[in-house]
């Protein structure tokens, strides 16, 4: 698996002189775990949303395994790339937690017994199996976060994109999530303000500043550069 992003430019408003992303270029290889850091408004969510085709770039390309993403290949892309949105309410829509988790694999034709096996395993792993019959819109913020992550992990995608996966989580759930992610083979791009998560989990960091890649390299080196972090508003 290889995800390649070439010279991505995103503008939300045609009249707006400002771009949310400017010339963003990088690639993500098999099994790599990359932290996506940057101040509020730096473009982290925009980048993740562009990678899954929710936001359309003004120019630039996203390619997975050398196949450039177009409108026609979005379904294929989405079968390989799992995205957890910054706001779990944007993701949960089935009445019960179990139905929500089962929805993705069902949509891709996975058999019912396998769906049940996979969903139960993921719910247990995340420590939320006791919530399986609960209504998703009545879950707490942290429970919703875990429910949304379950819906992604159950798909077993090749690449995981996560937008603030530890927001709303208490200490124990956060720790459990970090351990789960550490044990997964997938490549990951994790937008986060959780610096400890970045340094524990991600060998590589991409630092965004006002829509541009300001730094891309070793997480420890980037996090040790106080002047750089300060300039980037962190
Ligand atoms: N739907 C939208 N329409 C217009 N502008 C938007 C939209 N979404 C985001 N923006 C703008 O694009 C820029 C990048 O926003 P983005 O949400 O990608 O930042 P972020 O790095 O994820 O920030 P945060 O850390 O607060 O989540 C910001 O200036 C934001 O105001
Ligand atoms: Mg964001």
């Amino acid at each position: 698996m290889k995800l390649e992003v070439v010279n991505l430019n995103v503008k939300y408003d045609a009249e707006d002189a400002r771009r949310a992303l400017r010339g963003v270029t990088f690639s993500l290889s098999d099994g790599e775990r990359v932290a996506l850091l940057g101040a509020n408004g730096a473009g982290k969510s925009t980048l993740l949303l562009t990678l899954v085709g929710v936001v359309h770039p003004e120019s630039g390309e996203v390619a997975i395994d050398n196949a450039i993403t177009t409108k026609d290949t979005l379904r294929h892309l989405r079968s390989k790339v799992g995205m957890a949105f910054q706001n779990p309410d944007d993701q949960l829509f089935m009445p019960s937690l179990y139905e929500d988790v089962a929805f993705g694999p069902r949509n891709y034709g996975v058999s019912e017994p396998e769906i049940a096996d996979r969903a139960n395993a993921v719910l247990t792993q995340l420590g939320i199996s006791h919530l399986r019959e609960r209504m998703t819109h009545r879950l707490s913020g942290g429970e919703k976060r875990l429910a949304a992550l379950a819906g992604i992990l159950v798909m077993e995608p090749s690449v995981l994109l996560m937008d603030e996966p530890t927001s709303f989580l208490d200490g124990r759930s956060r720790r459990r999530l970090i351990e789960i992610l550490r044990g997964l083979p997938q490549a990951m791009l994790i937008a986060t303000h959780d610096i400890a998560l970045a340094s524990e989990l991600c060998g590589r960091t991409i630092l965004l500043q006002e829509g541009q890649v300001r730094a891309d390299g070793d997480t420890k080196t980037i996090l040790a550069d106080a002047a750089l972090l300060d300039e980037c508003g962190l």
Side-chain angles (χ1 to χ4, degrees):
M1 192 296 303
K2 194 171 178 71
L3 179 71
E4 281 177 288
V5 177
V6 183
N7 206 9
L8 221 49
N9 290 294
V10 170
K11 216 181 209 187
Y12 280 105
D13 257 311
E15 295 91 71
D16 204 340
R18 252 187 93 259
R19 286 191 173 86
L21 291 182
R22 298 185 285 158
V24 170
T25 297
F26 67 90
S27 62
L28 186 65
S29 311
D30 251 342
E32 246 189 319
R33 292 197 294 250
V34 180
L36 183 60
L37 304 185
N40 294 136
K44 303 179 297 296
S45 297
T46 302
L47 175 56
L48 297 183
L49 292 169
T50 309
L51 294 182
V52 290
V54 174
V55 167
H56 302 289
E58 182 185 29
S59 59
E61 275 165 6
V62 176
I64 185 155
D65 295 333
N66 298 317
I68 292 171
T69 302
T70 63
K71 265 201 291 235
D72 302 326
T73 61
L74 267 184
R75 188 177 159 86
H76 173 70
L77 173 102
R78 288 183 182 147
S79 70
K80 294 204 162 192
V81 180
M83 162 90 174
F85 291 86
Q86 182 159 9
N87 181 355
D89 284 325
D90 291 342
Q91 197 157 334
L92 302 168
F93 63 99
M94 293 298 280
S96 78
L97 170 53
Y98 180 81
E99 285 306 311
D100 210 282
V101 173
F103 180 84
R106 202 170 274 155
N107 202 27
Y108 279 91
V110 178
S111 72
E112 282 304 317
E114 188 180 340
I115 292 172
D117 283 352
R118 279 209 227 165
N120 289 330
V122 167
L123 295 178
T124 303
Q125 216 181 5
L126 287 166
I128 51 171
S129 43
H130 60 292
L131 302 173
R132 53 177 284 145
E133 302 308 331
R134 292 273 300 277
M135 283 192 264
T136 47
H137 68 279
R138 293 214 183 134
L139 296 171
S140 77
E143 290 168 347
K144 281 182 185 169
R145 163 67 66 215
L146 294 168
L149 288 165
I152 302 307
L153 296 178
V154 76
M155 295 290 286
E156 302 173 352
S158 318
V159 186
L160 285 162
L161 307 179
M162 284 171 281
D163 203 343
E164 308 287 358
T166 56
S167 65
F168 311 128
L169 296 189
D170 64 31
R172 183 164 59 169
S173 298
R174 175 178 170 279
R175 192 84 323 275
R176 181 150 47 196
L177 177 64
I178 290 175
E179 289 317 317
I180 293 169
L181 296 181
R182 198 201 301 285
L184 293 176
Q186 281 101 333
M188 299 174 198
L189 181 60
I190 310 177
T192 189
H193 293 291
D194 185 339
I195 299 291
L197 172 141
S199 62
E200 265 186 71
L201 208 56
C202 305
R204 176 179 160 206
T205 287
I206 295 174
L207 177 58
L208 288 183
Q209 182 185 26
E210 294 174 7
Q212 288 184 298
V213 175
R214 178 63 197 274
D216 180 351
D218 180 60
T219 298
K220 285 197 174 57
T221 310
I222 289 174
L223 291 180
D225 192 339
L228 174 68
L229 297 181
D230 189 48
E231 274 175 49
C232 292
L234 293 178

